[in-house]
Amino acid sequence: MLTESFLVSTLALGKTNKNALSKDVGIHLYDLQPIPALKASYKKSSTQPNCLAASTSHVFAAQAEKAVVHVYSRQRGNQEAVVPFPERIRSIVLCGDIDGGGVLALGTEGGGLVLWELCTGRQVSTPQSHLQPTTCLAVDQTSNFLLSGSPDCSIHLWSIPSLLSFLDISSNDSSQTLPLSPLRTLSNHRAAINALEFGHSSSTVNIAISASQDNTCIVWDYKNGTALHTYLLPSVPLCLAVDPADRAAYVGYEDGSVQILNFYNPNSITHPLHNPDLQPTPTQPPPADRWPSPNPPSPTLSLQLSYDSTTLVSGHGDGAIRTWDIGKGHFTAGIADLSVAVTNLKLLRPTGFPTSSTPSLKIHQVIKPRYESTLGGSNNKSTSGIPPNYTFTAQFTSILPNPSVVPSTFHSALTSPTFPPSLLDASIAELANLPSSSTQDLAIAKNTSTHCLAVNDDEDLNAQNTHLLAQLNAALHAQRSAMKQVLEMDRERWRRGEAERVKREKKRQRRERRMAEAERRRAEVMMHAKGGGGGVEVAMRGKEVESKSTEKENNQEEDEEDEQLSSSTDEMTDSN
């Protein structure tokens, strides 16, 4: 059965009225499909917005007002580790393969970034890039680019491979003025950045979306650093969610309502985001696209879309978890009420697909970060740039391919989507070097072979027909033999069954005759016993002699009946 689940994290500050469900519990695992229900809970956690991440094996929660990250094992259902950091963590996001050795990116209180390799423990820290804390992070579909936002109104674009590279950046490199610096900065907003999201495309035209406290939402071409479109919102946006097909974005407001930002215009030939005439003009979404929240209103702190994009899940400041019908555009139902602020929602990958693949890696335990690898330092590195103590710890779930087995040229050409360039070049060179005399010889040979084939067509056809007729006769003979054997086996099976049935019937009849005879003898003995005692012994001896003779006669009758049974069964078999 297809099952879709989501994680919920809460923020509990001070003395909050908690119900029995949320007491001493900060993270919950709920089923969304087929039936909403609570599955598991993880204790001792309190997280601010954008401070929850999850892989297939672990859950990561950056604790509010603390410089620690709690790591929970999803397989064992308990807290695995408490990882300390030099400063408070204000946002986290998981990069790379969520099934294997991913990288956890963390935004710090000082405005920098920390990248933690979960299977090696390597940690890379950047200098301060924001003037205020890094409060939101987002990673693209390819895990190559990272966006960081801050209350200082700026958005930085980072290259994850560059941050994780072992190569030292030279101080005289003109491409980057500082080591571990962002690729570019997006600075069109005029207030704090509240939320960042990437589109789901892996192409070069992927988009990014940012929401700010200046009541605007901007769609970016982040690779070029240009703003594609600006939306003027009626209220302060607190969270974002993007449609899996990048058709629209969903914004959560302070009053608990949700609004859809439609990126498509059915009356326009050109995509509105990529129309140069529409890009400089900000637009305001229609009021009909705003879905009001049921009473009492409470800020929408987190949004997530279901796998089929038909249901929107929202978490609110009063602890309510609600679902919205996207097709109908209104509130559907409430899943739970936790009585504490629901700051993060994380939809997990659905399970139960018949064609789901097994992850190539399995992580049993994360490796805590080692601080000696921070700031991209070159201490204790080998000549290749990789530290000597760099160790990757994970379990391979399948047999690794053998790198020494090189596929043949034929196999490469067979599995290639097009003709390989090497094969085309060799064929063109062979045709170019073909002499003219050889071409004439080929033409003569072709004409000769055509004439010979025309002469011998009839002979070959007759020979083929004769051969096919012989094969057909042999097949018919084999079929008849097989059918005959099948009939013989069926006849023998029927004869044995009939013989057993008749035999059981004869035995039953003999047993009844014996019982009747024994009853008759007993009655006679009783009658003699009543007539006189002296004649009882004589009568008993006479009966014994008579019973022996009768038993002998019965045995002879049984042998005769068995012989008659065998002969009658043979006659029935022959008649069939």
Side-chain angles (χ1 to χ4, degrees), residues 10-11 16-19 22 254-256 293-302 314-322 336-343:
T10 59
L11 174 64
T16 307
N17 293 327
K18 297 183 178 181
N19 55 22
S22 61
E254 290 181 326
D255 61 352
S293 173
N295 293 326
S298 180
T300 304
L301 302 179
S302 53
S314 62
H316 298 264
D318 59 355
I321 304 174
R322 297 166 181 160
D337 187 3
L338 304 181
S339 300
V340 287
V342 178
T343 53

Side-chain angles (χ1 to χ4, degrees), residues 446-458:
K446 182 178 180 180
N447 293 333
T448 304
S449 61
T450 303
H451 178 70
C452 293
L453 288 174
V455 173
N456 297 328
D457 278 345
D458 295 338

Side-chain angles (χ1 to χ4, degrees), residues 11-287:
L11 174 64
L13 297 177
K15 295 182 179 180
T16 307
N17 293 327
K18 297 183 178 181
N19 55 22
L21 179 64
S22 61
K23 186 178 181 180
D24 198 27
V25 176
I27 300 177
H28 306 275
L29 178 62
Y30 280 90
D31 271 345
L32 179 63
Q33 299 290 344
I35 300 176
L38 178 65
K39 289 182 62 178
S41 298
Y42 303 95
K43 297 183 178 181
K44 300 180 181 179
S45 179
S46 177
T47 59
Q48 293 179 341
N50 304 318
C51 289
L52 181 69
S55 66
T56 56
S57 59
H58 291 84
V59 177
F60 306 90
Q63 300 304 298
E65 305 301 327
K66 295 181 181 179
V68 296
V69 173
H70 289 184
V71 182
Y72 300 90
S73 173
R74 293 180 58 185
Q75 298 176 354
R76 294 185 291 271
N78 59 0
Q79 186 177 9
E80 180 178 300
V82 177
V83 182
F85 287 89
E87 52 184 326
R88 294 177 180 175
I89 304 300
R90 297 296 301 275
S91 58
I92 61 175
V93 68
L94 188 64
C95 314
D97 185 12
I98 64 172
D99 294 327
V103 176
L104 188 67
L106 307 97
T108 64
E109 182 79 19
L113 289 180
V114 176
L115 271 70
W116 170 25
E117 295 183 359
L118 302 177
C119 291
T120 65
R122 179 176 176 239
Q123 176 181 302
V124 177
S125 300
T126 67
Q128 180 183 3
S129 56
H130 292 283
L131 300 178
Q132 295 185 35
T134 305
T135 55
C136 48
L137 296 172
V139 63
D140 75 329
Q141 192 74 9
T142 62
S143 294
N144 288 328
F145 296 99
L146 180 70
L147 284 177
S148 61
S150 172
D152 63 358
C153 312
S154 63
I155 302 172
H156 292 327
L157 178 67
W158 305 81
S159 172
I160 297 178
S162 299
L163 295 176
L164 297 177
S165 176
F166 289 100
L167 301 177
D168 294 332
I169 302 176
S170 177
S171 59
N172 57 3
D173 188 0
S174 59
S175 61
Q176 288 183 324
T177 58
L178 292 174
L180 303 178
S181 61
L183 297 177
R184 59 174 50 88
T185 301
L186 311 177
S187 55
N188 286 29
H189 288 290
R190 296 294 178 265
I193 309 299
N194 287 340
L196 291 172
E197 289 290 343
F198 273 101
H200 298 84
S201 175
S202 300
S203 64
T204 58
V205 293
N206 194 19
I207 60 174
I209 307 168
S210 60
S212 172
Q213 289 186 4
D214 59 3
N215 291 16
T216 61
C217 183
I218 301 179
V219 182
W220 302 89
D221 180 0
Y222 60 91
K223 294 184 179 179
N224 297 325
T226 58
L228 298 178
H229 200 74
T230 302
Y231 292 90
L232 303 179
L233 304 179
S235 181
V236 176
L238 299 180
C239 52
L240 281 173
V242 183
D243 182 81
D246 298 342
R247 300 168 297 185
Y250 301 89
V251 183
Y253 292 125
E254 290 181 326
D255 61 352
S257 61
V258 175
Q259 187 159 30
I260 178 174
L261 306 179
N262 195 350
F263 295 157
Y264 281 88
N265 184 2
N267 299 324
S268 176
I269 300 176
T270 307
H271 195 296
L273 296 180
H274 301 281
N275 190 346
D277 298 333
L278 300 177
Q279 289 178 0
T281 307
T283 60
Q284 186 173 2

